[in-house]
Every structure is written in structure tokens, then in C-alpha cells.
Amino acid sequence: MTPRVTLAVTARVLTQLRRDHRTLALLLVMPCLLMTLLAWIFADSHSGVFDRVAPGLLALFPFIVMFLVTSVTTLRERTGGTLERLLAMPMGRLDLILGYALAFGVVACVQAALAVALSVGALGLNIAGSVWLLGAIAVLDAVLGTALGLFVSAFARTEFQAVQFLPALVIPQMLLCGLLVARDQLPRALELVSDVLPLSYAVDAMTAVSTGDATWDIASDIGVVAAFVVGFVALGALTLRRRTP
């Protein structure tokens, strides 16, 4: 891996995203709109439902958006021959994957900052823990979606196939991550499955910050999510093909 090459890839992807206004709007505006819609739904509720549900969805919305955009964008560059031309240069596969991960990670930081600031500020989300920690975990969750999107893009040949990974890989995690039913109340088999899904730990970390749980529990969840990010990036580099199928 060469840092100069990695940063050059990062700059190229950021420049491309800056010119793609629709994709940029999807990345930055959509999570904010979804959180606003959620707050509106529970506007007349006085039982604190929004405060209970919103932290988990602050983990979920950036994860989904980053997964979709990253997988489709990477596949589009592969099918268009861009990745093949880049890899023909003196550049390693890890340089390319890390460059994409860093570029989308920068966008994830802005995305998470906007969504958390809107939720805690204008939408009135009450949390017992640190707002900064909530924002940091939201960034990590978005980066998790980026890393997973980079990995699965290697197994799709069309953009439609990339989108098909959403119901296969994301929706089961949504159902088992603890948003609908607490994970310790799931049937034992499903609880065991949820224990190996990265989104479960992302939601656990966000919920723990919102309720002011022990710092050690939060750090443990963050460590697991970070390990999944590193693993998906490494797998993405290993599965990246030098030639377009």
C-alpha cells in the first residue's frame, strides 16, 4: 500500500462525488429527511417513543444509504472500465479499496454530523450520553455500510444485481438487530444469528449512548463494528478483480 496513491484515489472519488449532485443529495439529505419524517410520525406521542427509536435508526439510515451508493458506484466504475484502467497503473488493490473507503468515509462524517445535529437539535432527541460519541458511532456505522458495499460490489455484474444484495444482506440485519424486538427476547436460534451480524452491535452502541449505559459496553460494541469494517475492506481488496467481467 502506498499512502500517496491511496490519497490520490480518495481525491478523485471526492471530486467525482462533488460533481454528481443527485448522489451527493442522496448521501447527505436523505438520512436527515428520514429522521424528520420519523419525528413527525411521533410528534403527537407523549411516551418518548421517538427518543427510544431514533438512536437505532440513526445507526440504520446512514448504513443503508452508504451501502447502496457505495456498491452501485463501485460497480458502475467497474463495468465502465474505470477500475480496470486504474489497476493497470502501478497501484495495488488495497490502495484502490482504501481510497474509495476514505472518500466515502469523509462523506459519512458530514452525513452523520448533519443527521445527529438535526436529530438532537431541531427534532429534540433526548440522550443521556455524549452527543459527540453519538456522532462518532453514527460515522462508524456509515463507514460500515461503505465497507460492506465495497465488498459485495465484487459479486455483482449489473447495478440491479448490486441493489439485490439489500434484501439479502441488509433487511435480515434490520429485523434482528434489536429495533423491533430486543435481541435477548428473540428465539434462541435467531439470537445466535444476531450475535454475528455487524448491525446488531451498531444499534447496541447507539442505544447504549442514548440511555447512558456503561462506557465499557459501548467501547466493546464499537470495537466489534470497527473489526467488521476492517474485515470487509480487506475482503473487498482480496475479491477485487483486475479485469472487468
Side-chain angles (χ1 to χ4, degrees):
M1 185 190 77
T2 306
R4 179 178 57 83
V5 175
T6 300
L7 292 177
V9 174
T10 301
R12 188 191 71 82
V13 176
L14 287 174
T15 300
Q16 183 178 353
L17 285 174
R18 182 170 56 85
R19 295 172 179 170
D20 190 346
H21 297 156
R22 287 179 296 183
T23 299
L24 202 58
L26 176 65
L27 288 169
L28 301 182
V29 178
M30 185 56 66
C32 294
L33 290 178
L34 292 173
M35 293 305 298
T36 302
L37 177 61
L38 183 70
W40 193 5
I41 291 172
F42 295 114
D44 295 330
S45 174
H46 301 288
S47 57
V49 178
F50 178 68
D51 292 336
R52 294 198 303 270
V53 174
L57 293 178
L58 270 175
L60 182 63
F61 291 156
F63 172 83
I64 294 176
V65 172
M66 294 304 295
F67 171 82
L68 280 174
V69 172
T70 303
S71 58
V72 170
T73 300
T74 307
L75 180 66
R76 184 182 301 164
E77 298 223 325
R78 176 182 288 113
T79 56
T82 302
L83 292 185
E84 187 173 333
R85 291 192 296 271
L86 288 173
L87 288 172
M89 302 169 63
M91 175 188 303
R93 291 182 294 181
L94 186 57
D95 288 317
L96 188 64
I97 289 295
L98 281 180
Y100 273 81
L102 286 174
F104 283 107
V106 171
V107 177
C109 290
V110 180
Q111 179 194 76
L114 291 174
V116 171
L118 176 69
S119 300
V120 176
L123 302 182
L125 173 63
N126 296 310
I127 62 169
S130 167
V131 175
W132 295 105
L133 184 56
L134 190 75
I137 298 172
V139 170
L140 184 60
D141 297 339
V143 173
L144 175 65
T146 296
L148 183 58
L150 288 171
F151 171 54
V152 303
S153 66
F155 303 98
R157 295 196 174 187
T158 65
E159 293 180 16
F160 179 68
Q161 288 181 358
V163 174
Q164 285 178 320
F165 280 107
L166 180 67
L169 296 179
V170 176
I171 292 181
Q173 294 193 65
M174 292 170 53
L175 298 176
L176 299 176
C177 68
L179 281 176
L180 301 180
V181 178
R183 293 202 295 127
D184 57 5
Q185 296 178 14
L186 291 170
R188 181 56 180 167
L190 295 181
E191 183 181 358
L192 291 174
V193 173
S194 74
D195 287 341
V196 298
L197 299 178
L199 194 57
S200 299
Y201 298 93
V203 171
D204 284 350
M206 295 294 272
T207 304
V209 172
S210 69
T211 56
D213 285 354
T215 304
W216 170 251
D217 294 334
I218 299 173
S220 176
D221 291 329
I222 291 175
V224 173
V225 175
F228 272 107
V229 170
V230 173
F232 286 139
V233 169
L235 289 172
L238 289 174
T239 56
L240 184 64
R241 293 186 290 270
R242 285 187 173 269
R243 296 188 63 84
T244 305

